[in-house]
Amino acid sequence: MSTAPPTPRVIAVVGPTAAGKSDLGVFLAQRLGGEVVNADSMQLYRGMDIGTAKLTLAEREGVPHHLLDIWDVTRTASVAEYQALARAEIDRLLAAGRVPVLVGGSGLYVRGVVDRMEFPGTDPAVRARLEAELEEAGPGVLHARLAGADPEAAAAILSSNGRRIVRALEVIEITGKPFTANLPGREAYYETLQIGVDVARPELDARIARRVDVMWERGLVAEVRALEEAGLREGRTASRALGYQQVLAALAGECGEEEARAETVRATKRFARRQDTWFRRDPRIHWLDGGLTGRAELSGRALALVERAVTA
């Protein structure tokens, strides 16, 4: 006798940047009596609004959003810390009879919340040595080493993201296993309906280019300049964010502003492909076409997925 899958308690909206996750998350929260829990690692930072495409208060349409603007840009992000914060928010919402809608494209952050995951500890000596190598040789050299030790991890981590490269190499050295081998099987912590939003590559690339243009029009350079005064350059995580890293380079005279804009587009396209690769590995995700004409059609199909899961 077949058993129906458990009714989902959490909705997760995932996928690559610029696919339309944020708007869909707002719609689902409105229709389901829910609230949004952010799963974008860079939207955790205060003041990083334009470059992360953080929804404005008006764009949130009255839906409460949680885990936005909680950290200073000088703080180093920790997925283990995020896991604890997100689960506390989700548990609070469930206890209040609200539907948590987890929205974001940071794959490890999403899995850290919805699946049973414990993160390996740290070794201060190993970490210090790797960070010294990063400072001396740059992230490219360490990324090449990671590619040799764990190609899957290297494919998922930007070659410019020194902090994450160091962490992956640290875990490999501590455990003696590839970084990805330390990720457990997909055992759910919450019964979750995961909805993936994706767009055909040519359209997504065009959306990314337009989004970067809009960021510049809205004052990304001024935003980065203000955050620089607040210590952005010293922030090991925030300073590596797409757009922010490139503008910081321009402000330091390492490139021109137009070159920084073009590199932001290129880097974001590469990042979107890595996001897509990460999420496509999870067979539990139900994919929808974010390129559908009009927001209504995408929203309707997502709501139908939720209703099917609830009544299954």
Side-chain angles (χ1 to χ4, degrees), residues 16-278:
T17 188
K21 300 184 299 295
S22 298
D23 288 342
L24 182 58
V26 167
F27 169 81
L28 290 174
Q30 287 175 322
R31 292 298 296 267
L32 301 173
E35 301 181 15
V36 170
V37 178
N38 167 52
D40 181 315
S41 61
M42 295 303 166
Q43 291 193 7
L44 294 163
Y45 289 102
R46 280 187 289 273
M48 293 178 65
D49 302 330
I50 297 171
T52 65
K54 198 178 292 177
L55 293 184
T56 64
L57 285 175
E59 290 168 335
R60 298 174 203 173
E61 298 183 22
V63 172
H65 281 58
H66 306 283
L67 300 188
L68 294 174
D69 308 316
I70 63 170
W71 290 340
D72 292 330
V73 292
T74 54
R75 184 167 187 155
T76 300
S78 159
V79 66
E81 184 176 2
Y82 168 81
Q83 179 191 62
L85 292 170
R87 287 181 176 175
E89 288 291 347
I90 287 171
D91 291 345
R92 182 184 61 79
L93 291 171
L94 290 171
R98 305 288 285 169
V99 176
V101 181
L102 189 67
V103 180
S106 298
L108 188 57
Y109 281 56
V110 173
R111 278 207 63 196
V113 173
V114 304
D115 286 346
R116 295 191 181 280
M117 293 183 71
E118 294 183 7
F119 297 95
T122 64
D123 184 314
V126 172
R127 173 70 63 89
R129 174 166 46 76
L130 289 168
E131 287 180 343
E133 289 184 54
L134 175 66
E135 185 71 24
E136 181 178 347
V141 173
L142 270 66
H143 192 267
R145 187 190 306 171
L146 178 62
D150 189 347
E152 188 177 356
I157 299 173
L158 287 171
S159 59
S160 61
N161 193 333
R163 184 190 62 81
R164 286 196 63 198
I165 296 167
V166 163
R167 175 57 177 158
L169 290 171
E170 178 191 22
V171 169
I172 291 169
E173 190 164 336
I174 291 171
T175 65
K177 298 184 294 184
F179 178 69
T180 47
N182 288 279
L183 300 180
R186 296 181 173 93
E187 181 185 356
Y189 185 86
Y190 297 106
E191 293 302 334
T192 305
L193 172 64
Q194 297 190 65
I195 299 174
V197 185
D198 204 358
V199 178
R201 197 55 51 192
E203 181 180 347
L204 188 65
D205 285 350
R207 286 190 188 187
I208 288 170
R210 177 57 186 153
R211 174 178 279 192
V212 172
D213 286 343
V214 169
M215 288 174 179
W216 249 261
E217 292 164 9
R218 291 181 176 174
L220 177 61
V221 174
E223 179 174 276
V224 175
R225 190 175 283 119
L227 289 170
E228 185 180 23
E229 295 180 2
L232 177 61
R233 285 191 186 277
E234 288 69 53
R236 289 186 174 175
T237 305
S239 65
R240 296 293 181 180
L242 292 167
Y244 296 86
Q245 179 180 3
Q246 288 75 20
V247 173
L248 283 172
L251 293 177
E254 297 169 11
C255 64
E257 191 175 313
E258 284 307 310
E259 185 181 347
R261 186 197 298 225
E263 178 54 32
T264 299
V265 173
R266 288 192 293 268
T268 304
K269 289 177 181 178
R270 292 194 298 268
F271 179 61
R273 284 162 173 73
R274 286 185 171 89
Q275 288 176 297
D276 193 57
T277 298
W278 173 279

